[in-house]
Amino acid sequence: MLCLLCSCGKKNVEVVRPAFSSDSAYVYIEKQMSFGPRVPNSAAHMQCAVWLIEQLRAFGAEVELQKGEMPDYKGSNQQIYNIIGHFSTPSTATRSRVLLGAHYDTRPWCDEEEEYSERFYNVPGANDGASGVGVLLEIARQLGRQIADSTFKTPVDIIFFDVEDSGSPRFYTGAEREDTWCLGSQLWATNYARTFTEATQNTVIQYRYGIVLDMVGAPDATFPREMYSTNYAANYQQQIWRAAQRLGYGALFSDQQSYPITDDHYYVNRIAGIPCVDVIHYDTRNATGFPWWWHTRQDNMDNISKATLQAVGEVVMSQL
Ligand SMILES: [Zn+2]
């Protein structure tokens, strides 16, 4: 390759763009939306879970379904189905792994709607749920291709967390329970930590670090540096944001620091002790800190942009 000197005196460095198709990620989001809202205990949720398992298997993952129960905001038992796809090859099986996560459930209530009557609809969840899963499914497809053409380097576990978004609704007047969000990742992290502690040999999976994607599809998205990620996993956050800058996505992955956000990564950090970074759409223009369509009926395909999916997909792929 010819290296040219530009007027500022810096060498033009060719950016190597990782393989990732936002067309494909977009289709995976549409497919999830076609089931209807993926509210826990609904038929749509179960149909989506079955489809996710089939997809991961088709891309060459060894799939594990982790079932369990956790108390919901009222203290009732909530069934949880976490879906885990292990990607590795015989030559990479003993290397430490990268965890990639996104929640596949959607919120049962649009409790950020202004009209009271609108608050009892399910959130459609194109961004809040389906976007992170869509990007990870396309990454899973790319990993399958890497395995097929022997370019696969980094063993990866893709985890579709369940029941992230059923935390206490705003209209609930009962006593607030702590930790009513992210039930799937709490279950996963607790069991992972226990298995890890009980293991005597290197027989248990070792994770180097993790990345969680949440609301990663909006045309006007911004991903500031989320505070828990900075506190628990500063090096990895820096590495990911630098990669984004190199790929030309510095405006999207901004250097702005956000408040700490309780998302699945928090429990992966706090309970499992695995450094984990959240890539989440945060918008300081709104009082909630989140995008205007967040937890409303407008969280639909109109607010999904292939350009944003492409950026997020390339940045994550650059880490594998
Ligand atoms: Zn949500």
Side-chain angles (χ1 to χ4, degrees):
M1 189 199 87
L2 184 68
C3 273
L4 299 168
L5 284 173
C6 65
S7 56
C8 65
K10 284 184 188 162
K11 275 181 186 170
N12 274 346
V13 180
E14 193 181 34
V15 176
V16 180
R17 234 159 250 295
F20 181 88
S21 163
S22 50
D23 289 337
S24 165
Y26 190 91
V27 168
Y28 295 141
I29 297 169
E30 278 184 323
K31 176 69 181 178
Q32 292 170 78
M33 294 295 283
S34 76
F35 294 115
R38 283 76 65 212
V39 169
N41 306 320
S42 69
H45 175 266
M46 198 46 71
Q47 285 158 5
C48 184
V50 169
W51 177 73
L52 291 172
I53 292 168
E54 286 168 359
Q55 292 302 114
L56 287 172
R57 285 214 178 106
F59 301 139
E62 188 190 316
V63 182
E64 193 188 323
L65 181 65
Q66 184 192 40
K67 294 183 219 169
E69 282 180 354
M70 292 281 289
D72 69 5
Y73 71 101
K74 289 180 185 161
S76 317
N77 273 339
Q78 171 67 57
Q79 291 291 326
I80 289 158
Y81 301 91
N82 291 323
I83 298 164
I84 305 151
H86 302 282
F87 286 88
S88 62
T89 56
S91 62
T92 61
T94 56
R95 289 189 205 156
S96 63
R97 311 174 75 82
V98 173
L99 178 164
L100 302 178
H103 73 90
Y104 74 95
D105 64 301
T106 53
R107 185 156 180 75
W109 320 279
C110 292
D111 53 346
E112 294 295 329
E113 284 284 356
E114 280 178 29
E115 281 291 326
Y116 188 79
S117 60
E118 301 276 292
R119 294 181 188 165
F120 299 92
Y121 285 94
N122 302 147
V123 173
N127 258 299
D128 199 354
S131 66
V133 171
V135 168
L136 292 189
L137 274 180
E138 167 57 8
I139 289 174
R141 190 177 76 88
Q142 295 292 346
L143 293 175
R145 293 175 72 179
Q146 289 182 358
I147 291 171
D149 68 13
S150 303
T151 55
F152 182 88
K153 293 191 303 260
T154 310
V156 175
D157 281 3
I158 290 182
I159 308 184
F160 295 131
F161 291 117
D162 199 6
V163 204
E164 186 273 343
D165 227 351
S166 291
S168 307
R170 277 181 63 197
F171 49 76
Y172 183 61
T173 51
E176 272 282 325
R177 292 174 54 89
E178 246 188 70
D179 298 338
T180 63
W181 303 83
C182 309
L183 299 188
S185 52
Q186 292 189 54
L187 177 83
W188 181 85
T190 304
N191 288 321
Y192 166 81
R194 192 186 301 137
T195 317
F196 193 81
T197 311
E198 286 170 0
T200 50
Q201 290 286 327
N202 271 350
T203 48
V204 113
I205 286 173
Q206 301 236 30
Y207 292 100
R208 188 148 34 103
Y209 74 105
I211 306 174
V212 162
L213 305 180
D214 198 356
M215 302 194 281
V216 292
D220 58 347
T222 45
F223 308 120
R225 295 178 188 232
E226 185 277 331
M227 185 73 86
Y228 284 133
S229 311
T230 311
N231 291 346
Y232 283 104
N235 293 347
Y236 294 108
Q237 189 183 48
Q238 178 74 349
Q239 174 186 311
I240 296 160
W241 262 246
R242 284 236 172 97
Q245 282 165 4
R246 272 199 307 277
L247 290 163
Y249 303 128
L252 198 57
F253 286 74
S254 79
D255 276 331
Q256 189 191 6
Q257 187 83 51
S258 86
Y259 290 103
I261 299 170
T262 303
D263 201 354
D264 291 319
H265 75 303
Y266 173 62
Y267 295 99
V268 174
N269 279 303
R270 205 192 76 185
I271 302 176
I274 300 164
C276 190
V277 177
D278 201 16
V279 177
I280 184 164
H281 185 162
Y282 189 79
D283 192 334
T284 48
R285 292 171 298 181
N286 302 314
T288 62
F290 292 113
W292 62 270
W293 40 257
W294 175 68
H295 293 179
T296 74
R297 300 184 72 189
Q298 306 310 310
D299 181 4
N300 54 37
M301 292 308 287
D302 294 345
N303 292 308
I304 296 290
S305 148
K306 287 185 185 174
T308 305
L309 299 173
Q310 186 67 34
V312 174
E314 285 182 17
V315 170
V316 177
M317 283 300 295
S318 75
Q319 305 297 301
L320 305 179

